[in-house]
Amino acid sequence: MEWYYVGLGLLVLLMLFISIGLPIPFALAAASLPFLWEIQGWSTSVVSSELKLWGVWIDYILLAVPLFVFLGELIGKSNIGPNLYQFLHQGVRVRGSAAYGSIGASAGFGAVCGSSMVGALTIGGVALPEMLRLGYGKRLSSGVLAAGGTLSVLIPPSLILLFYGIVTDQSIGDLFIAGVVPGLILVSCFFLIVLVWGFLKPQDIPSRQDAAKMPLLMILMTIGPIALIGLVITVAIYAGIATPTEAAAVAALLTVILAFAVGGLTWQGFKQAIFATMRTMGYLGLLLSAGVLFGFVLTYHRVPQEFTEFFLSFDLSPTMVLMIVLVFYIVLGMFLEPVSMTFITLPTIYPLMAASGFDLIWFGVVFTVTMEIAVLTPPVGLNLYVIQAISKDDVSIADVIIGCLPFIASMVLLIALLIAFPDLALWLPEQMN
């Protein structure tokens, strides 16, 4: 069977199954099966599917995923995350401190948890009601928190960078460290947006906040856990002491101890964190398994390789190829969530980017920023609905979308900076190596 028949057939079937409401993992598997039967026959395909499913669940590298998710859930169910926001809000005695504190807390949370949605829910659940109570504008409050959650996707450890490394067979440690400088630039851009917003719409930022200062012991109990967990992950991976999976395991165990010792975690909260992790991994596990099956069919029929040769036959410049890919991802991000996009599209796209001469570590950072944009663009922007659900009586989905627009613009600016200055992503990994 010709590669283009397979590629178009997979795409049409996938869109058909998604449009009738089939969950994406099942849609991926269902689209793959007819072509798998054509390759292997019915009985062999069943065994092959079982092996692909089992292989994902026992993959050593993928064990880092539930560990990082569990770590984030523990912080969310304890007081560690909320206390971080309170410290940054109360400790910075400037106009707009709650907005700056939300960004700082999201960045700090991102340094220990790789999930955008968990980050938005944890910090937003505390910060949004407090910001609205203090008199911040609805659009600023919701926009800051929805966009702040995306910092967990870029600042390492990042689940999207982890999945990208698995699909493209790139060093996960290099990908993590490549996201550090762009992540700090994005945090700075978010701070600048709040500052400019305050000048343009002073009514959206109250001149005085009635927050009391935190005692020194509370400050130590707030900063200490986040700093220690982040340090363990960072040093273990970048110093070559442990693999990302081993670092995630040690950090998760440390988080359990700290969450109970200083974070006020209860046994009920601990059980909720376990069940939330199981629910998340139930979906991600099926998605990973179906993605592997989908990728196997693509690879068997050489769809990525043939597509790359076909695309390059148009003699487009590398910059034009990159622009087309970025626009494709931004549009697709309006309809699919980032993890699904990663496993559906990357097996075909990354060979094209490599053949066009782009560094795959650099492209991993650019890809991740486009995934940040995806969680903020309607109609399927996950962070939009997470933040709106926190205060649905006070904030409309339109408020969240409009509030996110300046932050989306800053992400587009970051992509432009990465294209103009690739060393923003590549310099630090080169120095570490």
Side-chain angles (χ1 to χ4, degrees):
M1 188 180 295
E2 296 291 341
W3 70 271
Y4 44 84
Y5 288 136
V6 177
L8 288 174
L10 285 169
L11 181 62
V12 170
L13 285 175
L14 182 62
M15 293 300 103
L16 173 65
F17 290 136
I18 291 175
S19 65
I20 64 176
L22 202 63
I24 290 176
F26 296 105
L28 272 171
S32 305
L33 285 176
F35 298 95
L36 193 63
W37 295 334
E38 191 266 337
I39 296 169
Q40 299 180 334
W42 167 257
S43 57
T44 307
S45 295
V46 171
V47 176
S48 178
S49 300
E50 292 172 350
L51 290 174
K52 297 292 183 188
L53 178 65
W54 178 246
V56 165
W57 286 102
I58 63 171
D59 191 301
Y60 175 74
I61 297 176
L62 290 176
L63 283 175
V65 179
L67 291 168
F68 280 129
V69 171
F70 181 52
L71 189 156
E73 292 291 348
L74 284 171
I75 293 175
K77 296 296 187 294
S78 69
N79 297 326
I80 295 175
N83 284 348
L84 179 63
Y85 164 74
Q86 293 295 346
F87 163 71
L88 291 171
H89 165 30
Q90 298 175 14
V92 182
R93 313 296 291 182
V94 297
R95 180 169 177 262
S97 63
Y100 296 124
S102 297
I103 296 169
S106 297
F109 191 87
V112 296
C113 171
S115 171
S116 173
M117 192 167 65
V118 173
L121 191 59
T122 300
I123 304 301
V126 178
L128 184 57
E130 175 71 3
M131 292 180 72
L132 294 176
R133 183 187 70 81
L134 292 170
Y136 283 80
K138 295 178 182 180
R139 292 176 177 177
L140 173 62
S141 303
S142 55
V144 160
L145 292 166
T150 66
L151 295 173
S152 296
V153 179
L154 186 56
I155 296 175
S158 161
L159 292 185
I160 296 298
L161 283 174
L162 179 63
F163 293 144
Y164 176 92
I166 292 167
V167 173
T168 62
D169 196 27
Q170 296 297 303
S171 166
I172 293 170
D174 284 351
L175 285 167
F176 279 1
I177 198 167
V180 172
V181 173
L184 294 176
I185 292 173
L186 195 58
V187 171
S188 301
C189 289
F190 284 8
F191 283 140
L192 186 61
I193 288 170
V194 173
L195 182 64
V196 173
W197 194 311
F199 281 117
L200 298 178
K201 292 189 174 183
Q203 69 275 13
D204 282 353
I205 299 181
S207 57
R208 177 179 176 274
Q209 267 104 91
D210 56 352
K213 291 185 177 180
M214 294 178 72
L216 180 60
L217 180 61
M218 181 63 72
I219 291 175
L220 293 176
M221 292 174 64
T222 298
I223 297 180
I226 293 290
L228 188 57
I229 295 166
L231 189 66
V232 165
I233 295 172
T234 304
V235 173
I237 294 176
Y238 303 143
I241 299 171
T243 65
T245 301
E246 292 163 348
V250 173
L253 178 60
L254 178 61
T255 305
V256 171
I257 296 170
L258 292 173
F260 276 112
V262 300
L265 182 68
T266 63
W267 281 109
Q268 183 63 28
F270 181 71
K271 288 191 293 184
Q272 289 175 357
I274 292 176
F275 289 139
T277 303
M278 292 171 65
R279 284 192 295 271
T280 300
M281 286 311 303
Y283 175 81
L284 286 180
L286 288 172
L287 184 59
L288 289 166
S289 304
V292 168
L293 205 61
F294 193 81
F296 171 75
V297 173
L298 286 173
T299 304
Y300 181 87
H301 287 282
R302 291 182 52 81
V303 174
Q305 295 87 340
E306 296 291 347
F307 173 78
T308 298
E309 291 179 11
F310 172 74
F311 204 93
L312 294 177
S313 68
F314 291 101
D315 291 326
L316 298 175
S317 68
T319 303
M320 182 60 68
V321 172
L322 178 63
M323 291 300 105
I324 292 172
V325 169
L326 291 179
V327 170
F328 164 74
Y329 272 126
I330 289 173
V331 173
L332 189 63
M334 297 179 181
F335 306 97
L336 287 177
E337 45 85 24
V339 179
S340 300
M341 279 196 288
T342 300
F343 288 99
I344 292 172
T345 65
L346 259 186
T348 303
I349 295 296
Y350 90 83
L352 173 63
M353 302 311 295
S356 299
F358 293 105
D359 186 285
L360 289 181
I361 297 294
W362 172 86
F363 180 65
V365 177
V366 174
F367 171 82
T368 302
V369 178
T370 64
M371 296 302 101
E372 290 182 301
I373 296 174
V375 298
L376 297 178
T377 49
V380 192
L382 296 180
N383 282 20
L384 302 177
Y385 298 103
V386 168
I387 293 300
Q388 196 265 336
I390 292 171
S391 294
K392 59 178 65 177
D393 295 333
D394 299 315
V395 178
S396 68
I397 193 66
D399 289 328
V400 188
I401 293 170
I402 295 172
C404 284
L405 293 179
F407 299 97
I408 293 175
S410 71
M411 295 176 192
V412 175
L413 174 62
L414 177 59
I415 291 175
L417 289 173
L418 286 167
I419 294 171
F421 308 102
D423 281 346
L424 290 176
L426 296 177
W427 178 80
L428 198 54
E430 288 171 358
Q431 298 305 307
M432 294 295 293
N433 289 332

